[in-house]
Amino acid sequence: MHVIVYFFFSLTGHLDSDHSFIPDACFIRAPAGVSQALHCDVVDALSCFMVTGSEELVSRVIQLRIQDGTHVDVAVKVMDMERRASYVCPVMTECIYGGQRGSFAEVKVYSLGLFAVVSCLKRENYTVPRKGFSLKLSMDSRICLNYLPGSFTAPVMAQLQPLEAVLLSAVKSRSEEYRAVVSTSPILYLTHPLCQPLRRALTITLPCAPKPKQKTRALEEMVQCYSQHMTTASKWDSASSIRSSTKEIHNEFLVLLGYRDQQWSSLEKIAVRNQQKGLVSFELTENFDRLLVVRLLSTLSPCHLVSLVQDLEEAVYCHTVVIVILKQNKDPHAMMVAVVLSKDLTWELSKLKAQGFSSTTGCSLEITMYEGDRLLLHFSGNISSEGKKQEIYFYISIKWIAFHSQRTNHLHVRLCVVDPFGNHSSSHYKGTAMFHKVSRGQLDWSCDGSCGCPGSVNMKLLGDPICKLPLTLPKVPQTHSLSDSLLLWISEQLSAEELSRLVVSLRLRRSSAQLVKLRAGNSLSGQALHLLLMWRRALPASPHQSNVNHLAHCLAKSGRPDLARELLNGNVITEPQGVSSGLWEYTQSIVSSVG
């Protein structure tokens, strides 16, 4: 096998003709079969280990290694309107389409329905010959299935579900009963023919790591970094640690669990033996759908073992997420809801900020979600989303976002103000974003094939929200188009009864009207002007036309639609022409007193 590695490098870091640095690069050439098995990484962080003495690095650092086996595969899932599902193995291609380079799954379609690419546990199919054979799974070469001659002759399928140490730690933290658990093997799925029982014992080897020691871990790191320079003393120390860990293994218990007939059970009668390098093996004489080995520091009752494996299976598909609300830097009305995995929160926020979103305006506590769960979003307070408004009592227009762990979960919303005259005592409009979680099992598949939540949902059926995040929108100060002369002209057109109705329409307080009577005396136009100036002073920062429209609407409700039409058409006095100088001076004094 020959692998050719090409390095591009510069000894002086020279500039090209365009006065820009030439980027250094590297690549490999190898036969097709070899290149598929190799994995190439750029590991510049390890550059300090590549130079000694007077050496100076002039290229990138790359690492060539054999690709690890993967336990997941992709398939195109096809579902018809009767919800019958089938899977098609796609042809995977890497190409540029629409200016974007990416991976594409290509399939031939022979029927209509729903299509999507899904990742699933990788399947390994094989046939057991009569002479028997020993199979090491490509997903994890440590796992070995050894069939003796005469076991049976039939096709078999194997799948593997790894259980990471972080996952086990999270499950152990939920119950004191699990403290004795050291580690577990992956869950091995086996599909044997039901009509052909095992006639000879099947030997299965699985990885199930012993309890590590601090000393052993430190030595392992030393071996990885300085294996070329390891001294005789360190080799002896490593051998001593291996002997001590082997001694500790004898104090641990190994228990096998099997899944059959839709339930897990502890197979305590089957002996599980320790092998080298954290491997265990056992012999199986019956067919089981799933198998799992648990390493314990002390005995654990069968019911607790069954609960442990059930919790592990559930935790595999459970994700801890955070709901984040962000605003665009240039447009505070443009809001984005992001549902982010907790472990990726810092990385995702940095990417969103680079795309022009401000720092988070709201962030929830950690929430558990499963693949396909939905978050329903509705608003309360003085902020809502543009579009459909509230319909019937306790029925309200909502928005939703589906959670998928391997996809970007973003929802863009355009915010609007419900009442521009609300939140008088604040410099911002205020509202709340309410989130409800709907599990995949609660979603209905309607007769037209659509799946999900209708445009309007009975909020009483959703229960309490899992998250409430505050929202604000700024009030931008603007000059009012309702000039002093315009309000003076309107005040001169109103009768006492019309003024009373206008006070109610403008939602002015009764105490304000009483105060105006004390200040303006018996002058009806003076009272009207005082009230209009007080109303103008309390106006929110709304566009000019909306303030004019609001006043026109109130005038029409007060019995003066003629004044409302003239106000909207602009057929009113906007300058103090035709107004006596004495009256205008009196008006200015009122304006000064009102502020």
Side-chain angles (χ1 to χ4, degrees):
M1 179 185 71
H2 294 281
V3 178
I4 304 175
V5 183
Y6 294 86
F7 290 95
F8 181 89
F9 63 91
S10 171
L11 291 175
T12 58
H14 64 277
L15 298 171
D16 63 5
S17 57
D18 296 329
H19 300 285
S20 60
F21 278 99
I22 301 176
D24 46 3
C26 57
F27 61 95
I28 64 171
R29 287 181 60 185
V34 175
S35 61
Q36 292 176 2
L38 286 178
H39 195 82
C40 180
D41 294 310
V42 177
V43 287
D44 288 337
L46 301 179
S47 60
C48 56
F49 297 108
M50 301 302 295
V51 291
T52 56
S54 60
E55 298 172 348
E56 295 181 354
L57 191 71
V58 295
S59 76
R60 308 292 293 272
V61 181
I62 65 171
Q63 180 185 48
L64 294 180
R65 57 185 176 86
I66 298 177
Q67 290 187 1
D68 297 328
T70 176
H71 67 280
V72 294
D73 205 348
V74 294
V76 174
K77 186 174 184 178
V78 186
M79 184 176 294
D80 59 20
M81 292 303 116
E82 282 73 35
R83 302 187 67 179
R84 293 174 299 198
S86 59
Y87 296 86
V88 182
C89 184
V91 176
M92 303 301 296
T93 59
E94 288 278 346
C95 61
I96 298 177
Y97 185 80
Q100 297 291 330
R101 173 174 290 277
S103 300
F104 295 88
E106 177 184 331
V107 293
K108 293 184 179 180
V109 176
Y110 297 97
S111 61
L112 302 180
L114 302 178
F115 298 82
V117 179
V118 297
S119 67
C120 49
L121 291 180
K122 191 172 184 178
R123 300 180 179 182
E124 190 153 337
N125 298 291
Y126 54 93
T127 301
V128 180
R130 291 185 179 181
K131 63 179 182 180
F133 82 124
S134 181
L135 172 71
K136 289 189 175 182
L137 299 184
S138 62
M139 299 168 281
D140 189 338
S141 59
R142 298 173 298 174
I143 299 177
C144 181
L145 307 176
N146 189 15
Y147 292 87
L148 295 175
S151 296
F152 53 66
T153 304
V156 179
M157 183 182 70
Q159 293 176 293
L160 191 65
Q161 175 62 69
L163 300 176
E164 298 179 358
V166 176
L167 187 72
L168 177 61
S169 299
V171 172
K172 287 174 61 176
S173 64
R174 302 175 190 173
S175 174
E176 288 291 326
E177 301 293 340
Y178 299 158
R179 295 186 63 182
V181 179
V182 176
S183 62
T184 68
S185 70
I187 299 178
L188 178 64
Y189 293 75
L190 285 178
T191 304
H192 285 141
L194 298 177
C195 59
Q196 297 187 34
L198 285 168
R199 294 192 290 266
R200 303 288 299 275
L202 164 64
T203 303
I204 299 178
T205 303
L206 295 174
C208 188
K211 182 180 180 181
K213 277 191 172 183
Q214 295 291 338
K215 188 176 182 181
T216 305
R217 284 202 298 266
L219 284 172
E220 288 178 352
E221 294 176 359
M222 184 184 297
V223 170
Q224 291 178 0
C225 297
Y226 306 106
S227 57
Q228 307 96 316
H229 309 288
M230 183 175 287
T231 62
T232 304
S234 62
K235 290 180 182 179
W236 175 259
D237 198 7
S238 176
S240 302
S241 68
I242 293 174
R243 285 197 297 270
S244 63
S245 66
T246 304
K247 183 178 179 182
E248 183 181 355
I249 290 176
H250 295 304
N251 299 327
E252 298 173 353
F253 300 89
L254 293 170
V255 181
L256 175 65
L257 290 97
Y259 184 86
R260 185 171 57 185
D261 299 328
Q262 304 299 313
Q263 63 180 0
W264 284 94
S265 59
S266 177
L267 309 178
E268 297 178 347
K269 293 183 180 181
I270 299 179
V272 183
R273 300 177 298 274
N274 274 301
Q275 305 291 332
Q276 294 181 351
K277 299 180 180 179
L279 300 180
V280 297
S281 64
F282 54 89
E283 291 184 352
L284 206 62
T285 56
E286 300 177 83
N287 288 332
F288 287 91
D289 301 328
R290 306 174 204 171
L291 296 165
L292 174 75
V293 177
V294 181
R295 188 183 292 273
L296 303 167
L297 289 176
S298 59
T299 57
L300 199 62
S301 64
C303 63
H304 287 128
L305 286 170
V306 171
S307 299
L308 170 69
V309 67
Q310 290 174 344
D311 291 345
L312 285 171
E313 282 191 307
E314 182 181 1
V316 168
Y317 305 105
C318 182
H319 303 274
T320 304
V321 303
V322 175
I323 304 173
V324 182
I325 291 181
L326 303 101
K327 298 281 189 68
Q328 278 192 356
N329 293 330
K330 298 181 180 179
D331 186 1
H333 289 261
M335 180 187 84
M336 187 181 72
V337 179
V339 183
V340 184
L341 293 173
S342 300
K343 61 181 182 179
D344 300 333
L345 180 60
T346 303
W347 168 250
E348 290 294 333
L349 289 181
S350 63
K351 289 199 302 182
L352 292 172
K353 289 178 182 178
Q355 296 173 13
F357 289 92
S358 64
S359 58
T360 58
T361 60
C363 185
S364 73
L365 299 176
E366 290 186 341
I367 299 170
T368 58
M369 295 193 71
Y370 293 88
E371 185 76 12
D373 286 354
R374 286 194 176 186
L375 285 173
L376 306 186
L377 166 64
H378 70 99
F379 300 89
S380 66
N382 201 21
I383 295 178
S384 185
S385 60
E386 290 185 356
K388 216 172 184 181
K389 301 296 182 183
Q390 187 169 344
E391 297 176 350
I392 314 173
Y393 174 63
F394 69 77
Y395 281 82
I396 190 169
S397 170
I398 62 172
K399 297 183 180 295
W400 59 267
I401 178 172
F403 170 74
H404 297 284
S405 60
Q406 297 191 42
R407 290 185 56 80
T408 300
N409 305 293
H410 292 170
L411 173 65
H412 294 269
V413 181
R414 185 77 187 174
L415 297 179
C416 65
V417 177
V418 177
D419 180 11
F421 302 94
N423 304 119
H424 292 292
S425 60
S426 174
S427 60
H428 291 78
Y429 297 112
K430 298 179 180 179
T432 305
M434 319 276 283
F435 294 90
H436 297 262
K437 186 171 74 172
V438 179
S439 65
R440 186 174 55 187
Q442 294 177 287
L443 298 175
D444 294 327
W445 182 285
S446 59
C447 57
D448 63 352
S450 62
C451 179
C453 305
S456 297
V457 171
N458 189 338
M459 303 306 296
K460 287 186 175 180
L461 301 179
L462 294 177
D464 297 330
I466 62 170
C467 174
K468 297 180 181 180
L469 296 179
L471 297 173
T472 59
L473 284 176
K475 295 179 181 178
V476 181
Q478 296 183 15
T479 304
H480 296 289
S481 62
L482 300 170
S483 63
D484 298 341
S485 57
L486 173 63
L487 298 183
L488 174 61
W489 178 81
I490 293 175
S491 65
E492 291 181 329
Q493 312 300 317
L494 298 174
S495 65
E497 183 179 356
E498 293 166 351
L499 179 59
S500 299
R501 290 198 292 264
L502 183 61
V503 169
V504 176
S505 299
L506 293 176
R507 298 181 180 180
L508 294 173
R509 297 179 180 178
R510 182 178 299 179
S511 58
S512 300
Q514 293 174 349
L515 180 62
V516 164
K517 287 183 179 181
L518 293 175
R519 288 183 176 179
N522 297 325
S523 173
L524 182 61
S525 59
Q527 293 178 13
L529 180 59
H530 256 100
L531 289 169
L532 289 173
L533 289 172
M534 291 177 66
W535 167 76
R536 188 183 70 178
R537 181 185 178 187
L539 282 176
S542 300
H544 298 168
Q545 191 59 36
S546 66
N547 295 330
V548 174
N549 290 342
H550 181 66
L551 179 58
H553 177 69
C554 293
L555 287 171
K557 289 177 61 177
S558 304
R560 293 303 301 269
D562 56 327
L563 290 180
R565 284 193 296 270
E566 293 189 24
L567 180 62
L568 293 176
N569 295 332
N571 301 325
V572 295
I573 299 175
T574 57
E575 296 295 336
Q577 298 173 358
V579 180
S580 65
S581 58
L583 181 58
W584 182 251
E585 292 175 359
Y586 173 69
T587 301
Q588 294 304 304
S589 65
I590 294 178
V591 172
S592 301
S593 64
V594 174

